[in-house]
Every structure is written in structure tokens, then in C-alpha cells.
Short mmCIF file of all heavy atoms in Angstrom, two decimals:
data_model
loop_
_atom_site.label_atom_id
_atom_site.label_comp_id
_atom_site.label_asym_id
_atom_site.label_seq_id
_atom_site.Cartn_x
_atom_site.Cartn_y
_atom_site.Cartn_z
N GLU A 188 -3.12 -6.58 15.03
CA GLU A 188 -3.93 -5.89 14.03
C GLU A 188 -4.44 -6.87 12.97
O GLU A 188 -5.62 -6.84 12.60
CB GLU A 188 -3.11 -4.79 13.38
CG GLU A 188 -3.82 -4.06 12.24
CD GLU A 188 -2.88 -3.18 11.44
OE1 GLU A 188 -1.82 -2.80 11.97
OE2 GLU A 188 -3.18 -2.89 10.26
N LEU A 189 -3.55 -7.74 12.48
CA LEU A 189 -3.94 -8.72 11.48
C LEU A 189 -4.96 -9.70 12.05
O LEU A 189 -5.91 -10.10 11.36
CB LEU A 189 -2.71 -9.47 10.96
CG LEU A 189 -1.71 -8.63 10.17
CD1 LEU A 189 -0.45 -9.45 9.87
CD2 LEU A 189 -2.31 -8.11 8.88
N ALA A 190 -4.79 -10.11 13.31
CA ALA A 190 -5.73 -11.02 13.96
C ALA A 190 -7.11 -10.39 14.08
O ALA A 190 -8.14 -11.06 13.87
CB ALA A 190 -5.20 -11.43 15.33
N LYS A 191 -7.14 -9.10 14.42
CA LYS A 191 -8.41 -8.38 14.54
C LYS A 191 -9.12 -8.31 13.19
O LYS A 191 -10.32 -8.54 13.09
CB LYS A 191 -8.16 -6.98 15.09
CG LYS A 191 -9.42 -6.18 15.37
CD LYS A 191 -9.06 -4.83 16.00
CE LYS A 191 -10.33 -4.03 16.29
NZ LYS A 191 -9.98 -2.69 16.90
N ARG A 192 -8.35 -8.02 12.14
CA ARG A 192 -8.93 -7.96 10.80
C ARG A 192 -9.43 -9.34 10.36
O ARG A 192 -10.48 -9.47 9.73
CB ARG A 192 -7.89 -7.44 9.81
CG ARG A 192 -7.59 -5.95 9.97
CD ARG A 192 -6.38 -5.54 9.15
NE ARG A 192 -6.57 -5.84 7.74
CZ ARG A 192 -5.59 -5.76 6.83
NH1 ARG A 192 -4.36 -5.42 7.22
NH2 ARG A 192 -5.85 -6.03 5.55
N ALA A 193 -8.65 -10.39 10.71
CA ALA A 193 -9.05 -11.75 10.35
C ALA A 193 -10.37 -12.13 11.02
O ALA A 193 -11.25 -12.73 10.40
CB ALA A 193 -7.96 -12.74 10.73
N ALA A 194 -10.51 -11.78 12.30
CA ALA A 194 -11.74 -12.09 13.02
C ALA A 194 -12.93 -11.37 12.40
O ALA A 194 -14.03 -11.93 12.27
CB ALA A 194 -11.58 -11.71 14.49
N LYS A 195 -12.73 -10.11 12.01
CA LYS A 195 -13.80 -9.33 11.40
C LYS A 195 -14.22 -9.92 10.06
O LYS A 195 -15.42 -10.04 9.76
CB LYS A 195 -13.34 -7.88 11.22
CG LYS A 195 -14.41 -6.94 10.72
CD LYS A 195 -13.87 -5.50 10.67
CE LYS A 195 -14.96 -4.54 10.19
NZ LYS A 195 -14.43 -3.13 10.15
N ILE A 196 -13.24 -10.30 9.26
CA ILE A 196 -13.54 -10.88 7.95
C ILE A 196 -14.23 -12.23 8.10
O ILE A 196 -15.19 -12.54 7.39
CB ILE A 196 -12.25 -11.02 7.12
CG1 ILE A 196 -11.71 -9.64 6.76
CG2 ILE A 196 -12.48 -11.84 5.86
CD1 ILE A 196 -10.33 -9.66 6.13
N ALA A 197 -13.74 -13.05 9.03
CA ALA A 197 -14.34 -14.37 9.25
C ALA A 197 -15.79 -14.25 9.69
O ALA A 197 -16.65 -15.03 9.25
CB ALA A 197 -13.52 -15.14 10.28
N LYS A 198 -16.06 -13.30 10.55
CA LYS A 198 -17.43 -13.11 11.03
C LYS A 198 -18.34 -12.67 9.89
O LYS A 198 -19.45 -13.18 9.72
CB LYS A 198 -17.45 -12.07 12.15
CG LYS A 198 -18.84 -11.84 12.74
CD LYS A 198 -18.78 -10.86 13.89
CE LYS A 198 -20.15 -10.65 14.51
NZ LYS A 198 -20.11 -9.69 15.64
N LYS A 199 -17.88 -11.73 9.10
CA LYS A 199 -18.67 -11.23 7.99
C LYS A 199 -18.95 -12.33 6.96
O LYS A 199 -20.02 -12.38 6.36
CB LYS A 199 -17.95 -10.06 7.32
CG LYS A 199 -18.75 -9.38 6.23
CD LYS A 199 -18.00 -8.17 5.68
CE LYS A 199 -18.80 -7.48 4.58
NZ LYS A 199 -18.08 -6.29 4.05
N GLY A 200 -17.99 -13.21 6.75
CA GLY A 200 -18.15 -14.28 5.77
C GLY A 200 -18.68 -15.57 6.35
O GLY A 200 -18.67 -16.60 5.67
N ASN A 201 -19.12 -15.52 7.60
CA ASN A 201 -19.63 -16.71 8.28
C ASN A 201 -18.58 -17.82 8.30
O ASN A 201 -18.86 -18.99 8.09
CB ASN A 201 -20.91 -17.21 7.61
CG ASN A 201 -21.68 -18.18 8.49
OD1 ASN A 201 -21.61 -18.13 9.73
ND2 ASN A 201 -22.44 -19.07 7.84
N LEU A 202 -17.34 -17.43 8.59
CA LEU A 202 -16.21 -18.35 8.64
C LEU A 202 -15.51 -18.22 9.99
O LEU A 202 -14.30 -18.13 10.08
CB LEU A 202 -15.22 -18.06 7.51
CG LEU A 202 -15.76 -18.13 6.09
CD1 LEU A 202 -14.74 -17.59 5.11
CD2 LEU A 202 -16.13 -19.56 5.74
N LEU A 203 -16.29 -18.27 11.05
CA LEU A 203 -15.77 -17.98 12.38
C LEU A 203 -14.64 -18.90 12.79
O LEU A 203 -13.73 -18.49 13.53
CB LEU A 203 -16.91 -18.04 13.41
CG LEU A 203 -17.99 -16.96 13.28
CD1 LEU A 203 -19.07 -17.17 14.32
CD2 LEU A 203 -17.38 -15.59 13.45
N ASP A 204 -14.65 -20.12 12.34
CA ASP A 204 -13.62 -21.08 12.74
C ASP A 204 -12.57 -21.29 11.66
O ASP A 204 -11.79 -22.24 11.71
CB ASP A 204 -14.26 -22.44 13.09
CG ASP A 204 -15.22 -22.35 14.27
OD1 ASP A 204 -14.96 -21.53 15.17
OD2 ASP A 204 -16.23 -23.08 14.26
N ALA A 205 -12.55 -20.40 10.67
CA ALA A 205 -11.66 -20.61 9.53
C ALA A 205 -10.21 -20.35 9.86
O ALA A 205 -9.32 -21.04 9.38
CB ALA A 205 -12.08 -19.73 8.35
N THR A 206 -9.93 -19.38 10.66
CA THR A 206 -8.54 -19.04 10.90
C THR A 206 -8.35 -18.29 12.21
O THR A 206 -9.28 -17.65 12.71
CB THR A 206 -7.96 -18.21 9.75
OG1 THR A 206 -6.55 -18.08 9.93
CG2 THR A 206 -8.58 -16.81 9.71
N THR A 207 -7.16 -18.37 12.73
CA THR A 207 -6.69 -17.54 13.84
C THR A 207 -5.28 -17.12 13.51
O THR A 207 -4.58 -17.81 12.79
CB THR A 207 -6.71 -18.30 15.18
OG1 THR A 207 -5.91 -19.48 15.06
CG2 THR A 207 -8.12 -18.69 15.57
N ILE A 208 -4.84 -16.01 14.03
CA ILE A 208 -3.48 -15.54 13.81
C ILE A 208 -2.91 -15.12 15.15
O ILE A 208 -3.56 -14.38 15.90
CB ILE A 208 -3.44 -14.35 12.82
CG1 ILE A 208 -4.00 -14.76 11.46
CG2 ILE A 208 -2.01 -13.84 12.65
CD1 ILE A 208 -4.10 -13.60 10.48
N GLY A 209 -1.72 -15.58 15.47
CA GLY A 209 -1.10 -15.22 16.74
C GLY A 209 0.41 -15.23 16.63
O GLY A 209 1.00 -15.56 15.60
N LEU A 210 1.07 -14.86 17.73
CA LEU A 210 2.53 -14.82 17.79
C LEU A 210 2.97 -15.44 19.10
O LEU A 210 2.59 -14.99 20.17
CB LEU A 210 3.04 -13.38 17.70
CG LEU A 210 4.57 -13.22 17.69
CD1 LEU A 210 5.13 -13.72 16.36
CD2 LEU A 210 4.96 -11.76 17.93
N GLU A 211 3.79 -16.48 19.03
CA GLU A 211 4.38 -17.10 20.20
C GLU A 211 5.82 -16.63 20.34
O GLU A 211 6.61 -16.76 19.42
CB GLU A 211 4.32 -18.62 20.10
CG GLU A 211 2.92 -19.20 20.18
CD GLU A 211 2.93 -20.72 20.14
OE1 GLU A 211 4.05 -21.31 20.00
OE2 GLU A 211 1.85 -21.33 20.25
N VAL A 212 6.16 -16.08 21.51
CA VAL A 212 7.50 -15.59 21.78
C VAL A 212 8.24 -16.64 22.59
O VAL A 212 7.83 -17.01 23.68
CB VAL A 212 7.47 -14.26 22.53
CG1 VAL A 212 8.89 -13.76 22.79
CG2 VAL A 212 6.68 -13.22 21.73
N GLY A 213 9.36 -17.12 22.05
CA GLY A 213 10.09 -18.20 22.68
C GLY A 213 11.44 -17.78 23.23
O GLY A 213 11.56 -16.77 23.94
N GLU A 214 12.49 -18.50 22.89
CA GLU A 214 13.83 -18.35 23.46
C GLU A 214 14.40 -16.94 23.28
O GLU A 214 14.26 -16.33 22.22
CB GLU A 214 14.77 -19.36 22.81
CG GLU A 214 16.20 -19.32 23.28
CD GLU A 214 17.10 -20.25 22.49
OE1 GLU A 214 16.59 -20.88 21.55
OE2 GLU A 214 18.30 -20.31 22.82
N ARG A 215 15.05 -16.43 24.33
CA ARG A 215 15.78 -15.16 24.27
C ARG A 215 17.23 -15.46 23.94
O ARG A 215 17.87 -16.27 24.59
CB ARG A 215 15.67 -14.42 25.61
CG ARG A 215 16.36 -13.06 25.66
CD ARG A 215 16.06 -12.40 27.02
NE ARG A 215 16.68 -11.09 27.16
CZ ARG A 215 17.89 -10.87 27.67
NH1 ARG A 215 18.62 -11.90 28.09
NH2 ARG A 215 18.37 -9.63 27.76
N VAL A 216 17.78 -14.79 22.91
CA VAL A 216 19.12 -15.08 22.41
C VAL A 216 19.97 -13.81 22.47
O VAL A 216 19.52 -12.74 22.07
CB VAL A 216 19.08 -15.61 20.96
CG1 VAL A 216 20.48 -15.87 20.44
CG2 VAL A 216 18.25 -16.88 20.89
N LEU A 217 21.21 -13.95 22.95
CA LEU A 217 22.18 -12.85 22.96
C LEU A 217 23.24 -13.11 21.90
O LEU A 217 23.79 -14.21 21.82
CB LEU A 217 22.84 -12.70 24.33
CG LEU A 217 21.97 -12.24 25.50
CD1 LEU A 217 22.80 -12.19 26.79
CD2 LEU A 217 21.40 -10.86 25.22
N GLU A 218 23.53 -12.09 21.07
CA GLU A 218 24.59 -12.20 20.07
C GLU A 218 25.61 -11.10 20.31
O GLU A 218 25.27 -9.92 20.34
CB GLU A 218 24.02 -12.09 18.66
CG GLU A 218 23.22 -13.28 18.23
CD GLU A 218 22.84 -13.24 16.78
OE1 GLU A 218 23.18 -12.25 16.11
OE2 GLU A 218 22.20 -14.20 16.31
N PRO A 219 26.90 -11.46 20.49
CA PRO A 219 27.94 -10.44 20.72
C PRO A 219 28.00 -9.45 19.56
O PRO A 219 27.83 -9.81 18.40
CB PRO A 219 29.21 -11.27 20.82
CG PRO A 219 28.76 -12.66 21.13
CD PRO A 219 27.42 -12.82 20.48
N SER A 220 28.26 -8.19 19.88
CA SER A 220 28.37 -7.15 18.87
C SER A 220 29.75 -7.16 18.24
O SER A 220 30.74 -7.51 18.88
CB SER A 220 28.10 -5.77 19.49
OG SER A 220 28.34 -4.74 18.55
N GLU A 221 29.84 -6.81 16.97
CA GLU A 221 31.10 -6.67 16.27
C GLU A 221 31.48 -5.20 16.08
O GLU A 221 32.48 -4.89 15.44
CB GLU A 221 31.04 -7.36 14.92
CG GLU A 221 30.82 -8.87 15.01
CD GLU A 221 30.80 -9.53 13.66
OE1 GLU A 221 30.88 -8.82 12.66
OE2 GLU A 221 30.71 -10.77 13.61
N VAL A 222 30.68 -4.30 16.64
CA VAL A 222 30.91 -2.87 16.50
C VAL A 222 31.83 -2.38 17.62
O VAL A 222 31.51 -2.49 18.80
CB VAL A 222 29.59 -2.08 16.52
CG1 VAL A 222 29.85 -0.59 16.38
CG2 VAL A 222 28.67 -2.56 15.41
#
């Protein structure tokens, strides 16, 4: 959602290459429960 808004704002302000927003998903981690 934020990336979509950023693209819209950049286009309107003629700042197409100003920014990008993304999320990289990396390592999967398991943590034992204490419950």
C-alpha cells in the first residue's frame, strides 16, 4: 500500500525515480515457547 502511494506521489510530482519501497523476506526462525 505504501509503495503504491509512493509511486502515485512520485508521478504527480515528476519524481519517478525518487524512491521505491519494498519488503525482502529472509531467514525463517523458530523460537521455543515458554507457555
Side-chain angles (χ1 to χ4, degrees):
E188 175 192 338
L189 294 173
K191 185 176 180 181
R192 289 169 57 190
K195 186 176 181 180
I196 292 171
K198 182 177 181 180
K199 185 176 180 180
N201 196 28
L202 301 171
L203 293 178
D204 298 326
T206 189
T207 57
I208 299 175
L210 183 71
E211 292 183 357
V212 181
E214 179 186 3
R215 182 176 180 269
V216 179
L217 292 178
E218 290 188 357
S220 174
E221 297 182 356
V222 180

